[in-house]
Amino acid sequence: MNSVSPWDEFRVGWKPLASAVIGKAFSFGTIPIYVVGVFTVPLGEAFGWSRAEVTFSFTVATFTSASLSPLVGWLCDRFGSRPLVIAGTVGYGLGMAIIATSSDWLLRYYASWSLATMLGVGASAIALTRFVAGWFERKRGLALGIMLMGSGLTAFAAPPFVASLIENFDWRAGYLGLSAAILLIGVPVVVAGMKDAPKKTAPANASGADDASGGGAPVQRPRGFRLAFESRAFWLMSIAFCAATFGIAGLISSFNPILRDVGYGAAQAGALTGLIGLFVMVGRLGVGYLLDKMWAPGLTFVALAFGAITCGLLILPALPVWLVVVAAFCLGLAAGAEWDALSYLAAREFGLESYGRVYSLLVVGVAVITAISPPIFGYAFDQTGSYRSLLLLSMVLLVLGPALLLFLKKGRGPGAGH
């Protein structure tokens, strides 16, 4: 793709990129986190479930997807992204309809969420980011940022859409409405727009770079899962992003309760918490643009460390509105940068041949931390009456964890991390 100018990549690949944005918006990795709260009270009223019991469905879905990520990564490298994303989008639309058939048996509700995730797991960030990375090289960071902004579309549109259906009908209509939206909007766009990127020809002197001593046989580098486990870069990235995720996920889940604890009303705390979503989109687009222009590990360290500022601000005894806005901005920037940088660095360090498998292993760790961090924050508050200890721990993790990325090589390409 070096034969065209950087911005010409968008002229050629804007349709595939647009389809990936919609694929992300309707995927199993986006919808649950933004709609589970809308269903919490209606399901509690219908079946007598506690709020913790209802929201545990998100944890069930997260662990289901994490357990299947390595398989998805292998399939993605073996068969490409397009068939996986199409099958996953169709499957998740059907999965939402299955959840709508739930009864007052709580285990059946969890099983429905798990099954929906299994059906939709093909349309994962693994496949979507690999697809976009195949179309974009010189503007890859910006393209990934745009694609990941699909979750912002869901955050904006899904809650009021589902809430309206629940108010006018019932909670089952909410899930059926999501099913219809996925099947009638998401599936046609994905099928029409997701075309495989044109094959790139390797440079004529590529093999010479792999010679062991100028005239010997090419060095055989490890591939796939072995490439991850034997790579120093993989372990640095895995620890760095897991540490940052613990703080970011815990902060997002606790932001609203912290504001309520210092005296904000429900409506005002909700509005201020909503700013995080806006700043996440700003972070994704801004950091994605800068990833193409700056040293990616250093930029990622700075962006993720902004989350530590949020921790420091939320510890303060008084939180005027302007300070809360600053805290939301720092948290949104860090959260927005996280997936941009993870996808970009995985392609940078390991190339696209083994991207699916390596990225899937990185996703497993991040997904597990995402699932357990909010309950840990909640447990700490239940035991101590304060989030202070977890905020201090997160402040340290959001600095020291991402700092490991500074030890990545400054080169580019599949061998950069070796």
Side-chain angles (χ1 to χ4, degrees):
M1 257 181 216
N2 287 329
S3 60
V4 297
S5 71
W7 292 106
D8 278 346
E9 290 183 340
F10 283 95
R11 180 180 58 81
V12 175
W14 73 267
K15 288 184 179 179
L17 178 59
S19 69
V21 172
I22 298 302
K24 176 62 178 172
F26 287 105
S27 72
F28 78 93
T30 301
I31 287 178
I33 194 170
Y34 295 112
V35 303
V36 67
V38 184
F39 285 103
T40 299
V41 174
L43 284 170
E45 293 175 347
F47 300 130
W49 298 338
S50 70
R51 296 187 179 188
E53 288 174 331
V54 176
T55 55
F56 188 71
S57 60
F58 174 70
T59 303
V60 171
T62 301
F63 277 110
T64 301
S65 65
S67 65
L68 295 173
S69 289
L71 174 61
V72 174
W74 180 82
L75 291 172
C76 188
D77 290 335
R78 179 69 177 83
F79 299 105
S81 299
R82 186 175 187 271
L84 287 178
V85 174
I86 292 175
T89 307
V90 173
Y92 203 57
L94 298 176
M96 288 294 101
I98 292 173
I99 296 175
T101 68
S102 298
S103 66
D104 60 353
W105 186 23
L106 186 59
L107 290 180
R108 178 180 172 181
Y109 181 66
Y110 293 156
S112 298
W113 268 103
S114 184
L115 178 58
T117 304
M118 292 179 190
L119 293 173
V121 76
S124 67
I126 301 168
L128 288 165
T129 56
R130 188 186 188 281
F131 174 77
V132 171
W135 275 97
F136 295 85
E137 182 177 325
R138 297 164 71 184
K139 289 295 180 182
R140 181 175 289 166
L142 179 58
L144 288 169
I146 293 172
M147 186 275 290
L148 292 167
M149 285 180 66
S151 59
L153 297 177
T154 302
F156 175 77
F161 171 67
V162 172
S164 176
L165 290 173
I166 294 174
E167 183 178 359
N168 289 284
F169 301 99
D170 59 10
W171 67 267
R172 297 184 193 276
Y175 283 114
L176 291 174
L178 287 172
S179 174
I182 295 170
L183 294 174
L184 298 179
I185 300 175
V187 172
V189 172
V190 167
V191 171
M194 289 200 74
K195 307 298 182 183
D196 292 328
K199 299 291 185 180
K200 290 182 286 186
T201 57
N205 61 348
S207 61
D210 290 334
D211 289 348
S213 58
V219 176
Q220 295 296 319
R221 294 193 183 279
R223 299 169 57 186
F225 295 118
R226 183 183 168 197
L227 173 62
F229 290 122
E230 295 186 6
S231 169
R232 170 175 168 268
F234 171 81
W235 295 108
L236 289 173
M237 290 173 60
S238 183
I239 296 172
F241 282 102
C242 283
T245 297
F246 180 86
I248 292 172
L251 284 169
I252 291 176
S253 67
S254 305
F255 199 88
N256 188 283
I258 289 173
L259 297 187
R260 297 299 304 275
D261 291 341
V262 298
Y264 284 95
Q268 192 175 18
L272 290 170
T273 303
L275 291 176
I276 297 173
L278 173 64
F279 292 135
V280 164
M281 290 191 286
V282 173
R284 283 184 173 165
L285 194 60
V287 171
Y289 175 78
L290 293 175
L291 282 170
D292 296 317
K293 295 182 174 294
M294 302 175 66
W295 182 46
L299 173 64
T300 305
F301 163 69
V302 173
L304 294 177
F306 265 80
I309 298 176
T310 300
C311 296
L313 294 176
L314 295 181
I315 291 174
L316 299 176
L319 290 174
V321 171
W322 70 269
L323 208 58
V324 175
V325 173
V326 173
F329 170 78
C330 293
L331 178 55
L333 178 63
E338 182 183 18
W339 287 99
D340 269 15
L342 181 61
S343 307
Y344 185 91
L345 288 173
R348 171 190 183 270
E349 296 293 328
F350 305 102
L352 296 184
E353 184 180 12
S354 299
Y355 177 89
R357 284 162 286 184
V358 175
Y359 186 74
S360 69
L361 295 178
L362 291 168
V363 167
V364 168
V366 172
V368 170
I369 297 299
T370 300
I372 67 174
S373 177
I376 291 175
F377 269 69
Y379 178 79
F381 181 84
D382 291 339
Q383 296 299 310
T384 65
S386 170
Y387 292 100
R388 182 181 178 85
S389 60
L390 267 297
L391 290 173
L392 291 172
L393 174 61
S394 298
M395 186 186 300
V396 174
L397 292 176
L398 281 162
V399 175
L400 296 185
L404 294 175
L405 299 174
L406 301 178
F407 292 96
L408 293 176
K409 300 288 186 178
K410 289 195 175 184
R412 296 176 63 87
H418 292 271

